[in-house]
Amino acid sequence: MKIAISTGGGDAPGLNAVIRGAVLAAVHRGWECVGIRKGYDGLLGQEQLVPLGPAEVRGITHLGGTILGTTNRGDPFHWRERLPDGTWVEHDRSEELVRAFRAHGIGALIAIGGDGSLRIARHLLDKGVALVGVPKTIDNDVGGTEATFGFDTAVQTATEAIDKLHSTAESHERVMVVEVMGRHAGFIALSAGLAGSADVILIPEIPYEMDRVCNKIRQREAEGRHFSMVVVAEGAVARGGEEVYLDAERRRLGGVGDRVARVIEQKTGKETRTLVLGHLQRGGSPTTFDRLLGLRFGAAAVRLIAEGKFGHMVALDPPTIVSVPLDEALAAPKRVPLDSDSIATARDLGISLGD
Ligand code: F6P
């Protein structure tokens, strides 16, 4: 058996642990592994396949990023190419990719990706590629699994940032607004906001009203707390408003933190600063939790191949790793449930959720 591994979409801490887990579990069965460079580029003439054996995956569990490289512009069904005149055209190169899998004698693919990459994998399955999925994203928004690897590290990074901002906010008696990633899900904001003792947490699942946010800050002021910490998910929306984009055409979220900060300053008169944590949340060494989850996901993906469970994705159903059909995982994106105990905890702690 020859297994190919691909890492597509945005990187997430723990990717290398998945690669190591998968490669060693495959070698353990006497199977061969290759890595596809940069999503599927390595099979579409752009880059190469790289051999993956024990030597290649030695000492990588603690490393951030992915040794295979990745891209979030590598959809073989909608391949974008820039013409000499600067315009872009789109091709479907999926048949070419399927032929390349066959030409290289690849018997199974482990597709490690978030929502977008797993959807591409699902279409490749329809074209006859035997594959299994591994859910990856710092956003934790893939259905069918309690957690994706990368999320815990991102929350740790965001929590540490909020901790550090607290002392400077207090010294200067300012409001600090921290914008965190998460796309259309508020998991990072809610977890880091709770752990970092934020006063206001704004998440996409709960449209916010600036009057409510400002009331919380005024209430703290009246209680002699002259600083406040506001955590805003990049996908948060004002009631009746829309998501804020840095680049609307490419749907790159960003800028809501600044927008919230400006209104806070205008309405409360409090000096307010914004910090956008951005890609810091995707970088660095994975936490112990993400390393373990990555290793377990990688080895479990190889077990799925051994069982012939193609079209399935490994998933965490604590305390164990299970498998779910890709169709089930992709049926609906995961969002923070409004009846979750984390939301109830935030409200019980007196944190404003902007509603
Ligand atoms: O999905 C992971 C993520 O980091 C999101 O939280 C964020 O919105 C997006 O990717 C950023 O993508 P890019 O790296 O293309 O700017």
Side-chain angles (χ1 to χ4, degrees):
M1 169 64 93
K2 185 173 180 181
I3 294 180
I5 300 177
S6 79
T7 56
D11 63 351
L15 271 169
N16 287 325
V18 179
I19 296 170
R20 179 176 161 87
V23 168
L24 294 185
V27 169
H28 183 66
R29 287 168 172 75
W31 295 352
E32 184 190 347
C33 273
V34 289
I36 309 172
R37 292 272 305 143
K38 290 175 77 176
Y40 297 112
D41 285 12
L43 282 175
L44 291 172
Q46 312 265 317
E47 299 254 348
Q48 291 301 314
L49 290 184
V50 290
L52 289 176
E56 285 75 23
V57 298
R58 193 164 291 142
I60 63 168
T61 306
H62 65 293
L63 300 179
T66 158
I67 58 167
L68 294 176
T70 186
T71 171
N72 45 16
R73 274 179 256 146
D75 180 351
F77 293 88
H78 301 96
W79 191 268
R80 277 163 66 81
E81 191 186 348
R82 192 172 205 140
L83 298 177
D85 67 2
T87 55
W88 289 90
V89 284
E90 231 179 65
H91 313 285
D92 180 353
R93 294 184 71 185
S94 55
E95 284 297 336
E96 193 184 334
L97 181 62
V98 174
R99 280 197 301 275
F101 274 114
R102 290 199 190 114
H104 284 91
I106 294 167
L109 168 70
I110 298 179
I112 313 173
D115 188 63
S117 305
L118 291 175
R119 264 174 220 287
I120 294 170
R122 179 64 192 84
H123 293 312
L124 287 175
L125 184 78
D126 282 341
K127 289 200 164 271
V129 178
L131 59 86
V132 298
V134 177
K136 164 234 65 171
T137 168
I138 65 163
D139 306 333
N140 197 28
D141 60 352
V142 177
T145 182
E146 170 73 20
T148 51
F149 68 87
F151 170 66
D152 188 64
T153 309
V155 170
Q156 179 71 26
T157 300
T159 304
E160 281 167 15
I162 297 166
D163 285 349
K164 287 184 178 170
L165 291 170
H166 255 107
S167 56
T168 170
E170 187 161 15
S171 307
H172 286 265
E173 300 194 340
R174 283 173 173 160
V175 177
M176 296 292 317
V177 177
V178 187
E179 181 181 307
V180 299
M181 282 185 165
R183 223 179 276 268
H184 314 295
F187 292 103
I188 298 178
L190 186 60
S191 302
L194 271 168
S197 302
D199 306 296
V200 178
I201 303 174
L202 305 180
I203 60 174
E205 293 82 354
I206 303 179
Y208 64 84
E209 290 176 37
M210 281 312 298
D211 282 341
R212 304 271 176 174
V213 173
C214 293
N215 281 346
K216 174 70 187 174
I217 291 164
R218 287 193 199 99
Q219 177 203 329
R220 281 176 55 78
E221 202 62 23
E223 290 164 357
R225 309 291 285 152
H226 301 296
F227 70 98
S228 289
M229 186 64 59
V230 180
V231 175
V232 187
E234 61 180 358
V237 275
R239 183 170 300 286
E242 286 178 357
E243 285 177 334
V244 183
Y245 288 103
L246 277 178
D247 177 346
E249 205 192 321
R250 289 171 55 198
R251 297 181 65 78
R252 282 185 61 213
L253 289 162
V256 65
D258 239 350
R259 201 171 277 194
V260 166
R262 258 184 280 130
V263 179
I264 291 175
E265 198 161 81
Q266 277 162 14
K267 290 199 175 209
T268 67
K270 293 285 300 173
E271 195 178 16
T272 306
R273 294 282 192 272
T274 316
L275 176 74
V276 180
L277 283 188
H279 292 83
L280 257 189
Q281 294 157 100
R282 293 228 304 254
S285 186
T287 57
T288 306
F289 181 88
D290 280 337
R291 293 180 200 191
L292 281 174
L293 190 59
L295 292 167
R296 293 170 75 200
F297 272 178
V302 170
R303 291 198 295 274
L304 283 191
I305 293 173
E307 290 162 18
K309 287 183 95 173
F310 299 114
H312 280 64
M313 176 189 92
V314 296
L316 177 66
D317 183 4
T320 193
I321 304 291
V322 296
S323 72
V324 293
L326 274 172
D327 281 338
E328 201 179 302
L330 296 171
K334 196 168 74 176
R335 300 288 181 256
V336 175
L338 294 183
D339 60 355
S340 65
D341 79 281
S342 294
I343 295 278
T345 304
R347 295 196 194 283
D348 282 341
L349 295 181
I351 297 170
S352 166
L353 299 177
D355 59 342

